[in-house]
Amino acid sequence: EDQVTQSPEALRLQEGESSSLNCSYTVSGLRGLFWYRQDPGKGPEFLFTLYSAGEEKEKERLKATLTKKESFLHITAPKPEDSATYLCAVTNTGNQFYFGTGTSLTVIP
Amino acid sequence: SAVISQKPSRDICQRGTSLTIQCQVDSQVTMMFWYRQQPGQSLTLIATANQGSEATYESGFVIDKFPISRPNLTFSTLTVSNMSPEDSSIYLCSVDGTGLDEQYFGPGTRLTVT
């Protein structure tokens, strides 16, 4: 069964303290892996798509990487405005989307 | 990316009533999706709506409970019928991006059923 597991559920960081969020997946024929940011009361905001193991993408303080079993979202020197829930999702060759439950990130000034 | 709006943004409804949620996109899109996001849970796909054809429902969701309309390439509605407290959730519409590889989400509709 295709599924996505994210860890940790919640993460508190001091401003400037770098860390990583994990997304483990099991999917029959990975088509793509996606990272989203969701602020309270808003819909998910698209961040990255990764297609194959070894691929990396960066945006400001965020860097996403992909292996055959998991993806990491690295946050370098985070700021309070990076506080949000980060969602991971995969899609398979049947174009079905599976979302994780997210990691709630709080960055303390 | 597409700009997506939803109406209403939130509502409080009584058990047994129905609510229709609207989703408007600023550009023509092929596929529109309706999701439910319950507290502490991942997004769950309710159905996929293509213009000019019947919506395709995921396992556990039926047309009588969640009728969907897709009259054109920029608009869709989801109705939550005969509501119960278990239907309290955030309902999100999304659209496909380029090449079906991305989805862009609306702001969501927060529904509370009392």
Side-chain angles (χ1 to χ4, degrees):
Chain A
E1 180 180 336
D2 296 352
Q3 63 180 13
V4 176
T5 304
Q6 292 187 246
S7 62
E9 289 187 10
L11 181 63
R12 289 171 65 90
L13 299 173
Q14 292 288 334
E15 184 172 2
E17 179 187 2
S18 300
S19 187
S20 297
L21 313 182
N22 178 263
C23 171
S24 298
Y25 64 89
T26 303
V27 65
S28 54
L30 178 71
R31 178 169 172 178
L33 184 141
F34 310 90
W35 282 98
Y36 289 86
R37 170 190 171 129
Q38 186 172 26
D39 292 297
K42 296 187 177 181
E45 173 190 347
F46 171 76
L47 293 173
F48 303 110
T49 306
L50 301 167
Y51 293 103
S52 57
E55 188 175 0
E56 299 182 352
K57 288 194 175 174
E58 289 189 65
K59 179 180 180 179
E60 296 181 352
R61 293 176 294 281
L62 301 177
K63 178 180 173 181
T65 62
L66 180 65
T67 72
K68 289 186 177 180
K69 294 184 178 181
E70 58 192 349
S71 175
F72 291 94
L73 184 66
H74 306 279
I75 302 176
T76 302
K79 298 181 178 181
E81 53 261 42
D82 294 322
S83 297
T85 296
Y86 291 85
L87 298 171
C88 173
V90 298
T91 185
N92 58 23
T93 50
N95 290 330
Q96 295 168 304
F97 272 80
Y98 298 90
F99 281 84
T101 53
T103 293
S104 175
L105 173 66
T106 303
V107 182
I108 304 164
Chain B
S1 64
V3 177
I4 305 166
S5 60
Q6 286 186 234
K7 289 181 181 179
S9 59
R10 59 177 61 226
D11 207 342
I12 300 173
C13 301
Q14 291 197 339
R15 180 196 299 261
T17 63
S18 297
L19 176 72
T20 295
I21 303 168
Q22 299 179 6
C23 178
Q24 180 75 53
V25 189
D26 70 340
S27 58
Q28 294 184 341
V29 293
T30 304
M31 300 175 72
M32 296 181 77
F33 307 89
W34 286 99
Y35 284 87
R36 182 171 72 184
Q37 187 176 29
Q38 295 181 309
Q41 298 187 22
S42 61
L43 278 74
T44 302
L45 182 64
I46 298 171
T48 302
N50 291 333
Q51 193 267 339
S53 63
E54 298 244 345
T56 303
Y57 289 83
E58 297 299 306
S59 176
F61 298 96
V62 295
I63 187 171
D64 290 346
K65 175 67 176 177
F66 298 101
I68 288 172
S69 77
R70 182 79 199 274
N72 57 51
L73 292 173
T74 63
F75 187 79
S76 178
T77 67
L78 169 75
T79 299
V80 185
S81 303
N82 189 24
M83 289 183 285
S84 66
E86 292 71 37
D87 294 319
S88 297
S89 185
I90 298 172
Y91 291 85
L92 295 153
C93 75
S94 73
V95 304
D96 58 314
T98 56
L100 301 179
D101 288 335
E102 302 150 8
Q103 288 191 20
Y104 297 98
F105 286 84
T109 295
R110 182 179 293 272
L111 170 62
T112 302
V113 183
T114 61

